[in-house]
Structure formats: C-alpha cells, structure tokens
C-alpha cells in the first residue's frame, strides 16, 4: 500500500508562523509535525510514501530526504501552482502504479487505526473510504451522513444548527481505489471534498465511511496547534507517553538552575539553559538551544528553537518561533511571534499576531 501525504497548502491561517516554516515542519513537542504522520504510517507498514508539496518544499526535503532515517521510502512531487487536494494526488499518479492508495491531509494528527481502515475498505469493496471523526460544533465543518451499513449518503457543508443530522465530519484520511484518479483532471486545481467525493456520490459509486472516536486534531489554526502540543503533554494521544512520575522532560546538555520552579507538564529540548529563579509552568514546550534567563516567567506557551528570553521577562499563552530575542523585562501575552523577531527591553505585547518575521519591535 502506498500513501500520499498532502503538504502543499499555504497554511494562511497559521501566518505569520508559516511564512518561513511550512505547516508540516512546525514543531510539535520539538519534532516536526510531519514526523509523527510518517512514523505512524510506518507503524502500519505503509512505507512507500509520496509527499505532495507545492509551497516551501526545501525545509521538508532537507529534513526527510529519502526517508531512510524514518524507515520509509519517500518520493516528492512538486506543483508549479497549487493543485488542491485532489489535483495534488493526480499529480502523484505515476508513483502509485495503478494501485489503491491512502491519502492523508498533512496537517492532521490522529491515532486512527490505519490497518483497520485498510481492512474495512477491502471488505466493503468501496471505491473510496473516508475516515470520520466527531466534532462538538458541526456547523463549521462539512458533515458526512451514512446509512446503517456505513455507506455515505450525503455531504452537508456547514449546516445551520437546525439542519444538523450528525456530528461526524471528514477526518482527512482517505483510502482510494486507483479508478478514483480517473475523475480528476490533470494539472488542474481540484478538490476531493468539494468536487471528487460529491461527484462519486452523484454517480452512486460506493463510498464508505470509517468512523472513529480516537484522538484527532487538525493544526490549521494557532489555537489548534497549541492545543495539539498541550493534549500530547497531557497524555491524550497514544503517540506520546508522558513521564508518569513528573511529566517534566529535560533534553540532553540542558541545564536547569536548582532555584527554577518547573510545574508539569513541561518539555525542555536539548542544549537549553533555564536560569536562576525562573518559573516555568506547563503546559509548556521549550525548543532546542533556547535560553530562559534569570527571574523570567514562562507559562502555557510554545517556544521554538534558539529563542532567548532575557531576564525578568513574562511570556504567557504565546508561541515564539525560531531565533527570537525577547528583551529583558518585557511582557508577551496571548501573542504569536514569528522567526527572528527582536523585542526591545521592557516592551509590552498583548494579543499580537501580525508581526513579520525578522522584525524589531519596540
Ligand atoms: P489554510 O491556507 O490555512 O487554509 O491551510 P492549507 O493551505 O494547508 O489548506 P487546508 O487546511 O485546507 O489543507 C489541508 C491539507 O491539504 C494540508 O495538509 C495542506 O498542506 C494540503 N493542501 C491543501 N492544498 C494543497 C495543494 O494545493 N497542494 C498540495 N500538495 N497540498 C495541499
């Protein structure tokens, strides 16, 4: 079984974080997001994988290479202009060699049992199988209705509450027979959700649902990206086992001053320095090579790599990307700070998410 992972989206809702870093490379507990997706496929013995990229390809290729390090074989397809979810899979057709394939949205973290889904797909003789997940507010999603045998009967886009008939939505994992690709025009922007699946349904082709209650989170927005990190720290997925005694993890070559007060759950990467009288309160992730200097307070945040939080600074409910310098005595709260930003001494930043990478603030 081969798989195509869609990693070519612009990630506009995650800007400015995704201006330099593709969504697939955003760190989750200090590892690129896509690593979890690839390792999960490998655990389900899906080791031939195509990465469908169109935007910011280089950091992905540099990290994953031919896939050897991760126990898989990777191929890459490129798109001159974004081809949409279905157009991107059509573009990978030559690698699929006429076989059925799995398609995964590359921004979804899930514990979905792929082996069970592949078995179900084969047994039901479906042309396409779509994984489903329940959500609390179905009115902002595309709902999927099924009959008693799991066959999909209707797609319902963003219904009003009074029209809601199910809370199950498309979970962004598909199993497709090769014939499905014949419904997708080559080199054309085309969508599974809006075009291919509704068209197959219109033709009464067998499309089945594979519902699951397992952990599921898409990282499309900063809030959900933060939520995923925190959910993992709190043990909500089976893909990360927090240390059950302390739930504090400190990486290699990192130093934490004995006067620092660290309240779980916290992950500190490699080669970090946590200074005197600092207070770190979880859920919190600190990336490799970052320094939290004396008397600073950092809580409920995600700090990427090589960030310097200078002394007496407060960082709360924020995401600070690679290489930022947060000046002494400043306050950063409910904000998103993209790569290589310098924040001046004593600056107060509250609820800010429109800073450009590399900017000097204050
Ligand atoms: P937003 O711009 O914030 O909506 O994010 P996005 O561009 O990632 O779009 P969306 O969340 O709808 O995409 C779902 C998944 O499909 C993500 O993993 C995207 O990387 C991927 N994707 C979306 N459009 C394309 C495309 O045109 N080409 C490829 N290769 N992947 C795509």
């Amino acid at each position: 079984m081969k798989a195509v992972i869609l990693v070519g989206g612009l990630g506009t809702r995650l800007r400015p974080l995704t201006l330099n870093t593709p969504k697939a490379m955003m760190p989750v507990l200090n590892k690129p997001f896509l690593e979890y997706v690839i390792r999960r496929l490998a655990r389900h013995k899906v080791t031939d994988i195509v990465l469908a990229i169109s935007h910011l390809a280089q950091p992905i290729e540099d990290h994953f290479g031919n896939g050897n390090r991760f126990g898989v074989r990777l191929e890459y397809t490129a798109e001159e202009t974004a081809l949409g979810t279905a157009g991107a899979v059509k573009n990978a057709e030559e690698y699929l060699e006429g076989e059925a394939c799995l398609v995964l949205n590359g921004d979804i973290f899930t514990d979905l049992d792929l082996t069970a889904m592949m078995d179900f797909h084969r047994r039901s003789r479906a042309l396409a199988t779509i994984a489903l997940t329940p959500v609390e507010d179905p009115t902002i999603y595309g709902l999927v209705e099924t009959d008693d045998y799991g066959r999909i009967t209707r797609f319902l886009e963003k219904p009003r509450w009074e029209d809601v008939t199910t809370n199950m939505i498309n979970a962004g994992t598909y199993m497709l027979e090769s014939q499905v690709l014949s419904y997708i025009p080559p080199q054309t922007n085309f969508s599974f959700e809006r075009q291919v699946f509704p068209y197959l349904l219109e033709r009464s082709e067998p499309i089945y649902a594979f519902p699951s209650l397992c952990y599921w989170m898409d990282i499309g927005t900063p809030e959900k990206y933060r939520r995923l990190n925190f959910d993992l720290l709190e043990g909500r997925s089976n893909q990360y086992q927090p240390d059950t005694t302390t739930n504090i993890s400190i990486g290699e070559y990192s130093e934490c001053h004995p006067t620092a007060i660290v309240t779980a759950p916290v992950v500190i990467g490699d080669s970090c320095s946590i200074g005197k009288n600092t207070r770190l309160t979880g859920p919190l992730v600190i990336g490799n090579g970052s320094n939290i200097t004396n008397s600073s307070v950092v809580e409920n945040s995600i700090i990427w790599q090589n960030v310097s939080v200078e002394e007496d600074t407060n960082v709360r409910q924020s995401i600070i990307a690679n290489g930022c310098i947060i000046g002494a005595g400043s306050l950063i709260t409910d904000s998103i700070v993209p790569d290589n930003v310098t924040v001046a001494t004593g600056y107060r930043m509250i609820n800010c998410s429109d800073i450009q990478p590399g900017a000097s603030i204050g």
Side-chain angles (χ1 to χ4, degrees):
M1 177 67 56
K2 299 191 175 186
V4 180
I5 309 179
L6 301 168
V7 284
L10 291 173
T12 39
R13 290 164 298 156
L14 281 162
R15 285 181 184 164
L17 294 169
T18 44
L19 289 172
N20 293 341
T21 304
K23 181 159 46 169
M25 292 302 289
M26 292 192 24
V28 171
L29 304 195
N30 293 333
K31 276 192 227 151
F33 177 79
L34 188 57
E35 232 183 271
Y36 293 90
V37 183
I38 288 176
R39 288 192 193 277
R40 192 168 63 90
L41 282 170
R43 279 198 297 279
H44 287 277
K45 303 194 168 46
V46 179
T47 51
D48 283 302
I49 301 171
V50 182
L51 295 182
I53 306 184
S54 78
H55 163 73
L56 284 177
Q58 207 55 50
I60 298 179
E61 293 201 43
D62 289 347
H63 184 81
F64 290 100
N66 64 8
N68 242 342
R69 272 192 316 133
F70 306 92
V72 297
R73 277 177 298 277
L74 291 180
E75 303 281 357
Y76 296 84
T77 56
E79 295 157 42
E80 267 175 36
T81 55
L83 291 173
T85 50
V89 176
K90 180 74 176 177
N91 196 38
E93 194 169 16
E94 63 174 301
Y95 296 108
L96 301 175
E97 298 171 326
E99 289 175 28
C101 68
L102 267 171
V103 174
L104 287 85
N105 275 7
D107 60 352
I108 284 168
F109 189 105
T110 169
D111 290 345
L112 179 69
D113 183 344
L114 289 173
T115 305
M117 180 169 169
M118 290 186 278
D119 287 348
F120 171 82
H121 175 82
R122 288 188 197 104
R123 274 187 281 114
S124 61
R125 298 179 181 277
L127 191 61
T129 300
I130 303 176
L132 305 187
T133 189
V135 288
E136 273 174 23
D137 179 3
T139 60
I140 52 173
Y141 292 98
L143 307 192
V144 183
E145 290 177 7
T146 58
D147 67 14
D148 293 344
Y149 303 97
R151 189 164 169 161
I152 293 176
T153 51
R154 186 155 82 126
F155 296 103
L156 193 57
E157 265 310 305
K158 300 190 178 135
R160 294 174 306 175
W161 268 110
E162 53 269 38
D163 299 325
V164 167
T165 50
T166 170
N167 64 344
M168 299 305 274
I169 63 157
N170 175 340
T173 302
Y174 317 127
M175 175 85 218
L176 307 177
E177 290 303 310
S178 61
Q179 299 95 289
V180 172
L181 300 196
S182 65
Y183 295 101
I184 308 170
Q187 296 305 315
T188 307
N189 188 296
F190 222 66
S191 153
F192 279 119
E193 304 82 345
R194 288 187 302 280
Q195 289 161 294
V196 180
F197 294 144
Y199 182 67
L200 292 178
L201 197 61
E202 229 176 83
R203 292 175 47 101
S204 303
E205 298 285 4
I207 323 180
Y208 278 80
F210 187 75
S212 167
L213 300 178
C214 67
Y215 182 79
W216 183 93
M217 179 66 67
D218 82 271
I219 58 158
T221 64
E223 188 36 49
K224 291 197 223 165
Y225 165 71
R226 229 156 57 94
R227 190 68 259 157
L228 170 63
N229 279 269
F230 294 176
D231 282 350
L232 295 190
L233 285 174
E234 286 160 1
R236 296 213 162 84
S237 155
N238 60 28
Q239 293 179 63
Y240 176 75
Q241 248 66 61
D243 174 331
T244 45
T245 39
T246 63
N247 207 350
I248 294 171
S249 145
I250 301 182
E252 284 184 356
Y253 313 113
S254 287
E255 286 176 7
C256 196
H257 194 275
T259 57
I261 298 172
V262 182
T263 308
V266 173
V267 166
I268 299 172
D270 298 336
S271 308
C272 293
S273 149
I274 310 299
K276 230 190 315 180
N277 299 323
T278 49
R279 207 169 73 228
L280 306 184
T281 304
L284 171 67
V285 185
I286 297 182
N288 298 339
S290 289
N291 299 329
I292 312 296
T293 318
N294 301 351
S295 307
S296 285
V297 173
V298 184
E299 54 185 46
N300 302 121
S301 294
I302 301 171
I303 312 285
W304 293 11
Q305 293 188 28
N306 302 319
V307 169
S308 176
V309 173
E310 297 185 345
E311 63 183 28
D312 217 6
T313 290
N314 252 285
V315 177
R316 299 171 197 268
Q317 286 84 250
S318 293
I319 302 170
I320 315 261
N322 297 328
C324 289
I325 301 173
I326 311 297
S330 49
L331 167 74
I332 313 283
T333 181
D334 296 300
S335 293
I336 297 173
V337 186
D339 293 333
N340 303 316
V341 165
T342 302
V343 175
T345 302
Y347 190 78
R348 288 170 71 80
M349 182 187 292
I350 297 171
N351 224 336
C352 191
S353 58
D354 57 358
I355 302 168
Q356 287 303 300
S360 290
I361 308 291

